[in-house]
Amino acid sequence: DIQMTQSPSSLSASVGDRVTITCRASQGISNSLAWYQQKPGKAPKLLLYAASRLESGVPSRFSGSGSGTDYTLTISSLQPEDFATYYCQQYYSTPPYTFGQGTKLEIK
Amino acid sequence: QVQLVESGGGVVQPGRSLRLSCAASGFTFSSYGMHWVRQAPGKGLEWVAVIWYDGSNKYYADSVKGRFTISRDNSKNTLYLQMNSLRAEDTAVYYCAREALLGYCSGGSCYLDYWGQGTLVTVSS
């Protein structure tokens, strides 16, 4: 099974900051990676797929990059509504459809 | 618009059974693979099971294999999760999710593009 490791597990930042979250796979996943945002008490929401492709309706301040085993989610200028928990998920080698452990983005 | 609405959660004793349902609308349900994903209180997301669009293939996480059964009724646009021999560690919010059909997928697998609001299952004596 492919393991997904996110870092950091938590992050404090201010409105307007640029933040980056990293996701590392235990083996290459050929850009078969999605990022989800989850706010407290709500369902996860798809942000990006295929590592870098923005889901319809998602603000352009969100971007993704990477290749092989290492991927990043970047928020270029944090907005108040971006404070949430972010998860990566691989769909290259399934089952299982493995999630990272999550990164909680908090207000500094 | 795509809607997924879970139901059937509640409090159940260890060792008992529960069946969750997920009513789908706003898309051609019979064309999509469907998943269950759970989240224990204060924890991250854990993939539970997937069923192909026609029900021909089903896969499970090791943690639920042999105890949970995923199924679907395409005539009713409904996904199910039969949970038997429940344990305290099965306590979680259970989400149903649709697997994207086209685009940037990997072989037969793809990302999850729509999620329901979740239903809480609490296993406790």
Side-chain angles (χ1 to χ4, degrees), chain B residues 16 38-41 46 63-64 67-68 83-94 121-123:
Chain B
R16 303 299 290 264
R38 69 183 180 182
Q39 186 170 36
E46 179 188 16
S63 58
V64 307
R67 300 187 300 123
F68 288 13
M83 304 185 294
N84 298 333
S85 304
L86 281 161
R87 306 167 179 167
E89 54 264 37
D90 296 319
T91 294
V93 174
Y94 285 74
V121 174
T122 303
V123 184

Side-chain angles (χ1 to χ4, degrees), chain A residues 1 29 32 34 36 38 41-46 48-50 53 55 87 89 91-101, chain B residues 35 37 39 43-47 50 52 59-62 95 99 104-106 108-118:
Chain A
D1 296 355
I29 57 171
S32 297
Y36 303 90
Q38 186 180 34
K42 300 295 186 181
K45 172 189 171 185
L46 177 67
L48 296 108
Y49 57 92
R53 304 198 71 85
E55 173 70 347
Y87 295 92
Q89 183 202 26
Y91 51 94
Y92 176 72
S93 176
T94 62
Y97 292 68
T98 330
F99 289 93
Q101 80 276 20
Chain B
H35 295 246
V37 177
Q39 186 170 36
K43 303 297 184 182
L45 301 172
E46 179 188 16
W47 176 78
V50 60
W52 285 22
Y59 299 99
Y60 301 91
D62 287 345
Y95 297 100
E99 182 167 325
Y104 296 80
C105 300
S106 176
S109 302
C110 211
Y111 48 91
L112 307 182
D113 59 358
Y114 286 93
W115 297 62
Q117 85 290 348

